[in-house]
Amino acid sequence: MAGSAPEIDLTASARLSARGYRLVQWTGVTPPEHLDDLAVLIGRMSTDAPTGDLAFEPQRWDAERVRERDAVAVRNGVRAAVTAAQATDGRLVAYTEASTCVVADGFSSQGDTLVALAHRGHRLGLWIKLANLELLLRAHPEVRAIDTFNADDNRWMVAINEQLGFRPLRRQTDWELGL
Ligand SMILES: CC(C)(COP(=O)(O)OP(=O)(O)OC[C@H]1O[C@@H](n2cnc3c(N)ncnc32)[C@H](O)[C@@H]1OP(=O)(O)O)[C@@H](O)C(=O)NCCC(=O)NCCS
């Protein structure tokens, strides 16, 4: 991500568009009270994120799988910063995750970001990503660079990343062989 700060106050405008929602943040493993909601959202990543012509099967996630995923991350020295958005009924409807790894100090990887279909169009994606970058830097002030990847046809995520100041670094082609 480029070092320059966005010129306008993106957080204020995103928060305004997303009024009525509340942020929930944590680092490390998922708090038990959020496991079920997060599992639903993680499962939607496999169906909702555009992947060009590649065919991915829908993934099934539940609280136990999220717990296992978190435990594997801890064992591998991967530390997560997560920001989620809560609707007025208390359910999580959006989340974003960035991670650092003990073997790669100063570097962070932006992982999943998803807003549940019924809640899109309120700039929740931008708001949670901005808030998560702040959380990440509070938890890991040593971070100097963050990378991510997007499918070319994911113009919604690409637009958010461009607003945040991410710049293209390299292109990758994924190949698929049907067996
Ligand atoms: C990327 C994403 C988080 C953006 O959601 P968001 O924060 O609600 O998006 P915005 O509020 O910035 O939306 C801007 C406009 O694009 C529309 N939009 C956003 N995502 C859209 C999508 N996937 N398909 C169609 N339209 C979409 C919104 O409805 C809104 O339209 P409007 O201006 O007419 O109201 C969301 O599209 C998403 O969850 N996608 C699936 C998961 C994904 O692709 N993650 C990234 C993988 S790298």
Side-chain angles (χ1 to χ4, degrees):
M1 181 178 166
S4 58
E7 284 169 22
I8 50 169
D9 189 344
L10 283 181
T11 302
S13 63
R15 191 190 291 130
L16 193 64
S17 303
R19 61 191 175 276
Y21 295 90
R22 202 178 145 258
L23 294 186
V24 181
Q25 298 187 299
W26 64 87
T27 55
V29 301
T30 310
E33 66 272 26
H34 297 315
L35 283 166
D36 287 325
D37 283 355
L38 192 68
V40 172
L41 295 173
I42 293 175
R44 298 299 305 190
M45 272 300 290
S46 65
T47 56
D48 291 16
T51 53
D53 296 331
L54 296 177
F56 287 105
E57 285 177 12
Q59 293 183 7
R60 298 167 73 95
W61 283 80
D62 57 16
E64 189 48 36
R65 187 169 175 188
V66 178
R67 227 184 260 117
E68 281 171 18
R69 178 202 76 153
D70 289 353
V72 170
V74 169
R75 281 203 298 278
N76 288 336
V78 174
R79 301 159 300 194
V82 181
T83 297
Q86 214 168 25
T88 46
D89 63 0
R91 304 301 299 265
L92 298 189
V93 297
Y95 80 111
T96 189
E97 302 183 319
S99 60
T100 56
C101 183
V102 287
V103 296
D105 260 355
F107 173 77
S108 174
S109 186
Q110 166 68 55
D112 295 358
T113 299
L114 181 124
V115 175
L117 189 57
H119 298 271
R120 288 187 193 148
H122 302 286
R123 304 185 78 196
L124 276 172
L126 177 63
W127 190 31
I128 58 177
K129 284 190 86 160
L130 279 162
N132 205 47
L133 286 173
E134 286 171 12
L135 172 66
L136 176 74
L137 287 174
R138 277 200 304 278
H140 300 288
E142 75 282 4
V143 168
R144 289 287 167 270
I146 179 162
D147 81 350
T148 191
F149 60 94
N150 300 120
D152 273 341
D153 55 354
N154 197 346
R155 61 185 170 90
W156 304 281
M157 194 76 261
V158 170
I160 290 171
N161 286 339
E162 286 176 344
Q163 287 179 81
L164 289 170
F166 281 87
R167 295 288 172 262
L169 182 65
R170 59 177 171 259
R171 300 186 72 81
Q172 170 179 322
T173 303
D174 289 343
W175 296 72
E176 183 180 71
L177 174 65
L179 298 175

